[in-house]
Amino acid sequence: MASLSPEEGAKKAQADFVRCAVRDVRYGPESLSEFTQWRVRMISEELVASCGTQVHEADIQERSSKATAAQESMARPVARKRPGDVPLNLSSNKRVCTSTLAQVEGSPVGADGSQPALKLEPLHFLQCHSKNNSPEDLKTQLWACAFEPTWEEGHTGATSQTVATCGGEAVCVIDCQTGIVLHKYKVPREEFFSVAWTALTVVTQAGHKKRWSVLAAAGLRGHVRLLHVRAGFCCGVIRAHKRAIATLCFSPTHETHLFTASYDKRIILWDIGAPNHHYEFQASQLLTLDTTSTPLRLCPVASCPDAYLLAGCEDGCCCWDVRLDQPQKRRVCEVEFVFSEGSEASGQRVDGLAFVNKDVVASKGNGLGTICLWSWSQTWVGRGSQSTVAVVVLAWLQWSPTKLAYLSLSTCPDEDTVLCGDEEGNVWIYDVRHVLTQRHPLPATPQAPTKILKWPQPRALSQTVTKTVVNMVVANPTFTYLTALTDSNIVAIWKRH
């Protein structure tokens, strides 16, 4: 048998290495075996192909990436920072727990006392977004969180206890019951501002159909990263904007349609498509929506999500026609909604926006110390041909009198509940069923919250976190778990009893 030349021997050894790695490496659940084999093959081939040329190219790419990051850092949204805030004292422990029930102020609405008292137990206080994993980090601001929807067929009544959180350089996926960080994705020199979930049907190389939970995350760099959460793998990056992305959301009716809103004063609708056999996305741009100020919150209209999109912006609340059967692919705001009459009605920041049900919208930022509930259908019917329309207000809810901006609200439609944090670490909870069924005229004063969940002041190593700013609060659909994100690198999780 003829002996192999050195080059042929090296190639054979490399091929044997790749083959053995694919055959012998075992990782993750059996359902991900095809993905694991593909990923192992990719890593193995990259490893054996490495040489001086690749090292030189990688060095050039790294320097280019650093230069790009330095340029994009100029676009940092300084308005979202609060330099006057004082860091809170917290122990070096990554997890701080309290064992007592959280303090709750307020009483159930209704004279007959038919509504049960709301009790929430604080389960976990986590510092999973710390820079360089430092327990001393109390400056990283956490901005957005979202519960993973339940996609499994036959489990329509199931509820998720998995929540994604973002802030600083990291995106975390947390099990609310155990407090375990299931996955953590980190990008140096990034600052994540928003996350959103979708589920995609993927056809594997063997021809099998599988459902993927995909998490989109975006922030300072203007890139959208598509994360295959179960595999802990970033399978796509969309270079969506040249400036920071403030928020993003998926269409509730089209699983691959993603809206991104940027500090470049544009909202773009993307079709991210389904990943191919190499687990790669090929995104395409469908629409561009121009704004006159930075869009802060996105909200497809609940009763017609394929037709209209609402956005809370720095200078008000705007609406766009997003129907894809229209010829124009670049559009301006069709209607601006205002919340009071008079010359000062427009131009007011709206930093909280969400649908309570198919018709009722909750918005915040348009009035100091209040949250507005208004009717989409009644407002739209009375619009006519006007470009500026006063909303039909159903109720005003009493909230903190703080002037601090970007404290976002959320809703739990199945429970008719509105949630919002404040500058003291409290969570304001509104059961709005009675508000939505009451007769006009409007009450003379804003409606008080059903409950105020007081900051539990967790202790660790004899130190107490006395207060903090709560940037976002979300609950899962059945209101079993509630998660709050703070300005001082704390993820707080409560469980309802």
Side-chain angles (χ1 to χ4, degrees):
M1 182 176 179
S3 60
L4 298 176
S5 68
E7 290 184 359
E8 291 174 335
K11 289 182 179 180
K12 184 178 184 302
Q14 292 174 356
D16 290 343
F17 174 81
V18 173
R19 185 174 61 256
C20 291
V22 172
R23 182 191 64 203
D24 297 336
V25 172
R26 295 289 181 266
Y27 178 79
E30 184 63 28
S31 60
L32 292 175
S33 59
E34 290 185 355
F35 172 84
T36 302
Q37 290 176 1
W38 169 81
R39 187 61 182 147
V40 169
R41 179 179 295 278
M42 293 289 292
I43 294 173
S44 302
E45 290 176 348
E46 290 172 2
L47 181 62
V48 299
S50 61
C51 64
T53 302
Q54 275 94 1
V55 171
H56 177 67
E57 291 176 351
D59 183 58
I60 294 174
Q61 183 179 3
E62 182 180 0
R63 289 198 297 270
S64 175
S65 176
K66 289 181 179 179
T68 302
Q71 292 173 0
E72 291 182 348
S73 67
M74 300 297 293
R76 179 179 295 270
V78 294
R80 296 176 68 84
K81 294 294 179 181
R82 307 190 183 102
D85 290 347
V86 178
L88 304 174
N89 290 328
L90 192 68
S91 79
S92 58
N93 291 345
K94 289 272 182 95
R95 180 179 292 122
V96 186
C97 298
T98 60
S99 57
T100 59
L101 288 178
Q103 303 175 45
V104 180
E105 289 187 353
S107 57
V109 176
D112 60 356
S114 58
Q115 297 184 25
L118 183 64
K119 292 184 179 180
L120 292 128
E121 176 188 4
L123 290 183
H124 311 286
F125 293 84
L126 310 176
Q127 276 184 285
C128 49
H129 292 265
S130 300
K131 188 167 185 174
N132 299 323
N133 294 321
S134 170
E136 305 300 323
D137 177 7
L138 293 169
K139 296 181 181 180
T140 296
Q141 294 173 299
L142 310 184
W143 289 112
C145 53
F147 275 89
E148 179 182 12
T150 51
W151 312 108
E152 294 83 358
E153 296 181 4
H155 291 77
T156 55
T159 182
S160 173
Q161 63 184 42
T162 305
V163 67
T165 61
C166 74
E169 298 179 338
V171 174
C172 295
V173 179
I174 304 168
D175 184 309
C176 288
Q177 179 60 38
T178 63
I180 294 174
V181 178
L182 303 175
H183 304 283
K184 184 173 182 178
Y185 179 74
K186 198 170 182 179
V187 180
R189 300 180 298 279
E190 176 64 280
E191 183 171 5
F192 288 104
F193 292 149
S194 189
V195 289
W197 291 94
T198 191
L200 303 178
T201 300
V202 180
V203 180
T204 67
Q205 290 179 336
H208 302 136
K209 289 185 177 180
K210 293 185 178 180
R211 292 286 278 176
W212 273 16
S213 279
V214 173
L215 181 67
L220 178 64
R221 290 190 174 187
H223 298 168
V224 178
R225 300 176 188 276
L226 302 172
L227 311 178
H228 183 347
V229 173
R230 288 190 65 194
F233 176 68
C234 177
C235 47
V237 178
I238 304 172
R239 288 166 174 77
H241 299 267
K242 293 182 179 180
R243 297 194 64 189
I245 294 175
T247 187
L248 48 74
C249 75
F250 279 98
S251 164
T253 53
H254 297 281
E255 61 188 24
T256 64
H257 287 189
L258 174 68
F259 291 97
T260 59
S262 171
Y263 282 79
D264 62 12
K265 300 180 183 179
R266 291 188 304 162
I267 300 169
I268 298 179
L269 173 59
W270 303 86
D271 186 347
I272 65 171
N276 58 25
H277 290 180
H278 297 291
Y279 300 92
E280 298 169 337
F281 285 89
Q282 296 294 330
S284 59
Q285 188 172 321
L286 302 178
L287 287 177
T288 299
L289 312 176
D290 292 318
T291 69
T292 57
S293 65
T294 302
L296 303 172
R297 309 293 173 210
L298 297 179
C299 196
V301 173
S303 59
C304 48
D306 293 335
Y308 296 103
L309 175 75
L310 287 177
C313 304
E314 284 285 358
D315 63 359
C317 181
C318 296
C319 178
W320 287 264
D321 184 335
V322 294
R323 289 175 291 183
L324 295 177
D325 58 358
Q326 304 299 308
Q328 301 86 359
K329 298 307 177 185
R330 185 157 194 160
R331 304 173 189 178
V332 297
C333 170
E334 187 163 319
V335 182
E336 179 187 359
F337 294 114
V338 295
F339 300 86
S340 61
E341 303 291 344
S343 59
E344 298 182 356
S346 62
Q348 298 177 342
R349 178 192 296 118
V350 174
D351 57 11
L353 191 68
F355 272 84
V356 181
N357 55 33
K358 289 290 185 180
D359 179 57
V360 178
V361 187
S363 58
K364 184 188 75 66
N366 36 64
L368 189 62
T370 58
I371 294 171
C372 181
L373 298 183
W374 53 283
S375 168
W376 159 263
S377 61
Q378 295 179 50
T379 302
W380 193 252
V381 167
R383 171 206 170 197
S385 59
Q386 303 174 76
S387 60
T388 302
V389 180
V391 301
V392 177
V393 178
L394 302 177
W396 293 95
L397 306 179
Q398 177 190 349
W399 184 64
S400 168
T402 180
K403 294 183 179 180
L404 206 58
Y406 313 118
L407 278 63
S408 183
L409 61 78
S410 69
T411 60
C412 190
D414 292 348
E415 300 290 322
D416 292 316
T417 301
V418 178
L419 304 165
C420 194
D422 69 12
E423 77 286 3
E424 299 288 336
N426 304 322
V427 176
W428 298 58
I429 304 174
Y430 307 85
D431 185 331
V432 297
R433 277 172 285 196
H434 69 288
V435 176
L436 301 180
T437 56
Q438 69 185 4
R439 301 286 183 180
H440 284 273
L442 287 173
T445 58
Q447 302 292 297
T450 308
K451 302 286 184 184
I452 299 179
L453 181 63
K454 305 294 288 184
W455 179 246
Q457 299 190 11
R459 293 177 58 83
L461 298 180
S462 73
Q463 298 186 37
T464 302
V465 181
T466 58
K467 67 177 183 178
T468 186
V469 176
V470 175
N471 289 320
M472 174 169 269
V473 184
V474 296
N476 65 341
T478 57
F479 206 154
T480 306
Y481 298 98
L482 182 148
T483 300
L485 301 187
T486 72
D487 241 12
S488 23
N489 191 30
I490 301 173
V491 178
I493 301 173
W494 286 264
K495 185 176 183 180
R496 184 180 180 180
H497 288 275

